[in-house]
Amino acid sequence: MNIGEPLTVCPQAVHKFGVGDPPSSNLEPNLGNNDMRLAHRYGWAAAGAVTLAMIAAPLPALAEDGDPTTGDLTVTRFDDRYADGLFDTTRTSPSGDVDRLNTDLAAQLVDVNGTRHYKSADADGLYRFTDVPVGAATLYLGHPNYPANEVFFDATGATSAADITRMATTEYYGAQGTLDVVIDADGEQRLIGMTALGVAAKVSSTDGAPVSGITSIEFGSGGEWFVGSEYAGLPGGYEAQAPGYRVIRHLPGDLGMRITAPAGYRVASVTAATGSAPISYPDIPMTVVERDGAYWVDSAAVPQYFFSAAFLVTLEEVPDTTRPTASLVSPTTEGPFRSLSVQVDATDEKGLKRIVANIYKGTTLVKSTQSAATGTSATHRATVSLPDGAYTVKYNSQDLAGNISQTGTFAVTVDGTAPTATVKDGSAYTVGGDGVYDLVSVKLYDAQKIDKVTINGTVKDLTNNAWSDVNFIKPGTFGAVKGENTLVVHDVAGNTRTLVFVLN
Ligand SMILES: [Ca+2]
Ligand SMILES: [Ca+2]
Ligand SMILES: [Ca+2]
Ligand SMILES: [Ca+2]
């Protein structure tokens, strides 16, 4: 439905996009004469003098009839077709609509005695209750739709939408806009507006996909906030649901939306649009103002007073500014190691890109290793062969956003050289020669320290030193036997040297 086409009752599916029924199935009564009379009464029709009385003032007090026990109530009921909360027939909505008296339905008043007064509009389009007992009374104005799909507001004395007050809808011979009044002998007047403004939101991610499951979205008007919920069958579409009725209808004035993005997301942009189906066809942009933690549009920009303002919210992921972690799982000691096996584990709450382990000798990078990483935790393993010496492992990780973890350092030593074993000279240590001995002693050396020896599998641990020895080997000592013996020298790194000899 486009603006300017005949108003028709929208199908339910369209309601879900925030487009209401026209507040009455008979929206076009010929009220021109009534408007003219009212305008004449207040002087609005003075040619060209539109600035003189843009806003309806309360009706003047009626003359007393001299009876202090009764009073009159005059009700002006209007459709706020230029949606500003005021009855002002000089303002034209974007679709060409203007405020108009509404005389379609009777008004009812229950007086202080519980007596029901039932009035149709007078010839001038006003509802006049006369000679009502003074005291508290309740005014009822019927909703044109059932279930009620409009909201009434008290605009008496209002000079802007900020002054109007939402009226409750109660059941009294049908759904009624309901207002407590106190009748006094001087006479009372009320100016009551009706509107069916909607406020909805469509929430999408930056790729355009609808975002479901938002629980903290609210829609506001008239100083009140209403919790929004997601439409069944329309993912990413939200509106405040009205218990017992269909959706919350909003007061004219500032129409608001506020949202708390889900964890890890933030609001990237908010625009707004209106039209016959603004969520699906955001054909008429609205100006959005951000204020007080909410987004606002002006209802006066809505072409029809039963249209909706739709906020189009785009959420984006909050950039990852948190560093990943990197921890060295291996090695856990300085070594020495025959070859260096490195394992670095990394984590990131958003996603890893790579893990790096670099080997430095002094300040010189001698070996760089890395693994591409995916997911929120990953492992990098590398085994590197290096010349003997002291090294530093430096390791870190990088996440997809480019954040780099703290760099860890760990000192290691590499030893790929086997120890030496030399038969000692001197008859006190060694008797025999050329691999055949009565008694033999060996001198051991390793730059990265001797650990132990085994003789025929029997372990003799040695204090870890560069220089060591095993003295006075003969059958019966350290596992040595008569005949062939195998002596294996181990350095700390695990390199070995084997010595085979015969004992007599
Ligand atoms: Ca208005
Ligand atoms: Ca991160
Ligand atoms: Ca060694
Ligand atoms: Ca040892």
Side-chain angles (χ1 to χ4, degrees):
M1 182 173 70
N2 292 319
I3 295 164
E5 291 181 354
L7 299 175
T8 55
V9 175
C10 303
Q12 185 66 26
V14 178
H15 290 307
K16 290 191 169 186
F17 291 82
V19 178
D21 284 333
S24 169
S25 58
N26 179 22
L27 275 176
E28 306 297 340
N30 182 4
L31 294 177
N33 288 340
N34 289 331
D35 285 346
M36 286 302 291
R37 285 191 201 115
L38 196 72
H40 181 70
R41 179 190 185 98
Y42 295 120
W44 301 341
V50 293
T51 58
L52 292 179
M54 300 284 285
I55 295 161
L59 294 170
L62 300 178
E64 293 186 49
D65 61 3
D67 181 351
T69 66
T70 64
D72 298 342
L73 171 66
T74 302
V75 176
T76 304
R77 172 177 172 171
F78 71 101
D79 296 343
D80 188 29
R81 289 165 179 261
Y82 176 79
D84 64 350
L86 305 177
F87 184 37
D88 175 358
T89 58
T90 69
R91 308 294 300 272
T92 303
S93 84
S95 68
D97 217 355
V98 294
D99 289 354
R100 186 179 300 173
L101 290 178
N102 185 316
T103 58
D104 294 347
L105 297 170
Q108 301 175 82
L109 185 73
V110 176
D111 69 22
V112 68
N113 299 321
T115 301
R116 178 188 181 204
H117 304 254
Y118 185 96
K119 289 287 181 186
S120 295
D122 287 351
D124 58 3
L126 306 184
Y127 297 87
R128 300 180 190 282
F129 297 92
T130 55
D131 300 324
V132 179
V134 298
T138 305
L139 173 68
Y140 295 105
L141 298 176
H143 279 268
N145 288 296
Y146 192 89
N149 196 30
E150 313 81 19
V151 59
F152 289 92
F153 56 91
D154 183 357
T156 308
T159 58
S160 78
D163 299 328
I164 66 176
T165 307
R166 176 183 283 266
M167 286 167 53
T169 291
T170 65
E171 293 290 330
Y172 183 72
Y173 299 102
Q176 308 282 337
T178 305
L179 185 69
D180 291 331
V181 295
V182 176
I183 304 298
D184 62 27
D186 293 337
E188 287 289 316
Q189 312 84 38
R190 291 293 184 273
L191 177 64
I192 306 299
M194 185 177 76
T195 187
L197 293 166
V199 186
K202 180 182 181 183
V203 183
S204 306
S205 55
T206 48
D207 63 1
V211 177
S212 287
I214 302 285
T215 56
S216 55
I217 187 167
E218 295 174 284
F219 301 96
S221 60
E224 289 183 275
W225 288 98
F226 304 90
V227 176
S229 57
E230 192 168 12
Y231 301 118
L234 184 63
Y238 298 85
E239 191 167 10
Q241 310 295 314
Y245 302 116
R246 286 182 285 188
V247 295
I248 293 287
R249 295 298 171 181
H250 289 268
L251 292 190
D254 290 334
L255 305 177
M257 184 279 304
R258 61 190 185 189
I259 182 171
T260 302
Y265 288 83
R266 66 184 181 188
V267 174
S269 67
V270 176
T271 61
T274 183
S276 55
I279 287 183
S280 292
Y281 311 105
D283 46 356
I284 305 173
M286 300 183 80
T287 300
V288 178
V289 174
E290 188 174 0
R291 163 169 52 82
D292 301 331
Y295 301 89
W296 303 91
V297 293
D298 182 355
S299 68
V302 175
Q304 300 278 2
Y305 69 132
F306 48 88
F307 277 12
S308 291
F311 289 93
L312 308 173
V313 182
T314 301
L315 301 180
E316 64 184 0
E317 280 195 69
V318 175
D320 177 11
T321 58
T322 305
R323 289 178 168 196
T325 68
S327 57
L328 189 68
V329 176
S330 173
T332 57
T333 68
E334 182 184 3
F337 303 102
R338 299 174 65 191
S339 65
L340 184 59
S341 291
V342 175
Q343 179 181 340
V344 179
D345 287 357
T347 64
D348 188 77
E349 85 288 0
K350 289 279 191 177
L352 291 161
K353 184 177 183 183
R354 62 176 180 163
I355 307 172
V356 175
N358 288 338
I359 317 298
Y360 288 80
K361 184 161 188 67
T363 57
T364 303
L365 176 64
V366 295
K367 192 81 178 179
S368 181
T369 72
Q370 63 176 279
S371 294
T374 58
T376 56
S377 67
T379 294
H380 166 60
R381 291 187 184 88
T383 299
V384 295
S385 295
L386 295 162
D388 292 359
Y391 297 91
T392 302
V393 180
K394 294 189 176 183
Y395 57 94
N396 58 28
S397 63
Q398 187 177 31
D399 67 18
L400 291 170
N403 300 299
I404 296 174
S405 73
Q406 287 195 321
T407 298
T409 62
F410 197 78
V412 296
T413 302
V414 172
D415 174 16
T417 302
T420 59
T422 309
V423 175
K424 288 187 179 182
D425 294 332
S427 59
Y429 290 100
T430 299
V431 178
D434 297 329
V436 180
Y437 306 99
D438 295 332
L439 175 73
V440 67
S441 299
V442 292
K443 182 168 61 179
L444 310 175
Y445 174 76
D446 192 279
Q448 303 294 343
K449 296 183 182 177
I450 299 294
D451 176 17
K452 65 187 176 184
V453 298
T454 62
I455 301 176
N456 305 322
T458 297
V459 176
K460 176 173 176 55
D461 189 29
L462 302 168
T463 301
N464 296 358
N465 277 314
W467 290 98
S468 189
D469 51 20
V470 183
N471 293 329
F472 318 126
I473 302 168
K474 58 185 180 181
T477 62
F478 311 133
V481 297
K482 190 170 183 166
E484 187 176 280
N485 291 266
T486 301
L487 183 151
V488 180
V489 187
H490 299 250
D491 67 15
V492 172
N495 302 294
T496 60
R497 185 171 300 276
T498 300
L499 201 62
V500 178
F501 54 90
V502 173
L503 288 175
N504 296 316

